[in-house]
Each structure stands twice: as C-alpha cells, then as structure tokens.
Amino acid sequence: MKLKIIGILILQFLLFSCSGTISTLKKEYNLSNTSELKSNWSINANEWILKNDTLIGTGGNNHWGVAMSKKQLPKDYEINFKVNMTKESLFEVMLNFDKVDYIRTYLYQIDQNIVIGKGVYNKNSDEYGKRGGKSVFTKSMKLENNKWYAVKIKVQNNQLLFSVDNKTTLECSLEKSNLSQKGKLGFLTNGEVKIIDLNIKTL
C-alpha cells in the first residue's frame, strides 16, 4: 500500500516537472525564492532580482527591463499582485507572449491611463517599432510613483478582465479584438518597479 502511494506521488511530481504551463498541480504559482526566479523565468540579473519576497525590475527609456516566464500560461487563468512604480512612467504585464506578439496590459503615468493594447517585443532589438504597440482600450486613472496598486488580470472563455485597485476596470474579448490567445507571461518597465504577492492560478 505504501509503495502504491509513493508511486502516485512520484507520478504527480513527474507530471508537474514536465508541465508546459506556469501553473502547478495545485493550480497555483507563487514566486517566493530566487531559485524559482532563475529556473522558471528568462531574466537579465542586472534588470530583475528577487529580494525579500519583492521582485524588483529596472529599465530605461532606451532599453526596457523585461522578465519572461519560460512556461506557457494556461488557457484560463487569473493573476494577482501588488505593484509600485518607484521610478519613471510605465509598468506593463505582457500576456500570452507568442514569438513576438503579446497583449499589453499596463499602467501609464504620462497619460494617466490603464491600457489594454496589442504589443510586439523583439528581445534582440530596442528599435522603435520592434517593441510596444498600439492601445486598444484605455481608462483614466490617477497613477503616481511610490504608491502600491493591486492588479488583477483574469482570462476566461477568451474574455480578458484587467482591474486596478478593484475600481478601475477594462474588459474585452480576445477574439473580437484580435488579441493573442496563448503564450507566456512577462513583466516590463522603463524605470524601476517593485512587485509583491504574485499569484497565478489556473481557472
């Protein structure tokens, strides 16, 4: 009986290890230590670090700091975290990154908006036109440096919900808006950003 239980546990572990998605067997993923960051994310150690349970990213206007998951997001998922833009104006969550295309969900201080857009990112180039992209939906929101914001992103049945502080929300259909429907998760900044309490779960 004990051997059977051990066999089941080993099988579950192997299934998890071979999984191509960012979620775990418990259908949740929490970033909590540096080894997880190094093994599960493609990062430049000069741009992204994990310090005291805080993911810190740095970039500049000429070279955005990008952290990209190595695993695919599930088809339906929910992402929750808190973010603080300590320097500059842009923090972006890259959704469903596939080759170079992705969904831009971001906080933009210059226009004082949260935004859903169609993005392109070429990791080998900082040229204009090979990163970023056009806005599809925007909503006004007062945004400041050195202030924490609670972000919730939910994709279910091809519907995207992007909410900040549970009060400013954008929603759209991925299919109708011709937005990427599968891919990886990334974070992007043109200054300095801090992220805590990151939780990703399969729905």
Side-chain angles (χ1 to χ4, degrees), residues 108-126:
Y108 192 42
Q109 286 191 55
I110 291 177
D111 288 344
Q112 292 289 292
N113 284 332
I114 66 168
V115 183
I116 294 175
K118 295 179 72 171
V120 61
Y121 173 69
N122 187 319
K123 66 180 181 180
N124 297 317
S125 176
D126 288 320

Side-chain angles (χ1 to χ4, degrees), residues 177-190:
S177 303
N178 195 27
L179 296 172
S180 180
Q181 295 182 36
K182 64 177 182 178
K184 300 176 182 179
L185 170 68
F187 296 115
L188 180 155
T189 180
N190 73 345

Side-chain angles (χ1 to χ4, degrees), residues 33-79:
N33 61 60
T34 302
S35 63
E36 286 181 350
L37 181 64
K38 290 179 179 177
S39 62
N40 294 325
W41 296 75
S42 297
I43 58 165
N44 179 329
N46 294 321
E47 296 175 354
W48 289 88
I49 60 169
L50 188 63
K51 185 177 181 181
N52 299 327
D53 296 327
T54 302
L55 182 61
I56 303 170
T58 56
N61 288 324
N62 295 323
H63 177 76
W64 295 347
V66 174
M68 185 68 65
S69 168
K70 293 178 181 178
K71 296 186 177 183
Q72 297 281 315
L73 283 162
K75 181 174 175 57
D76 294 324
Y77 56 86
E78 182 176 304
I79 303 169

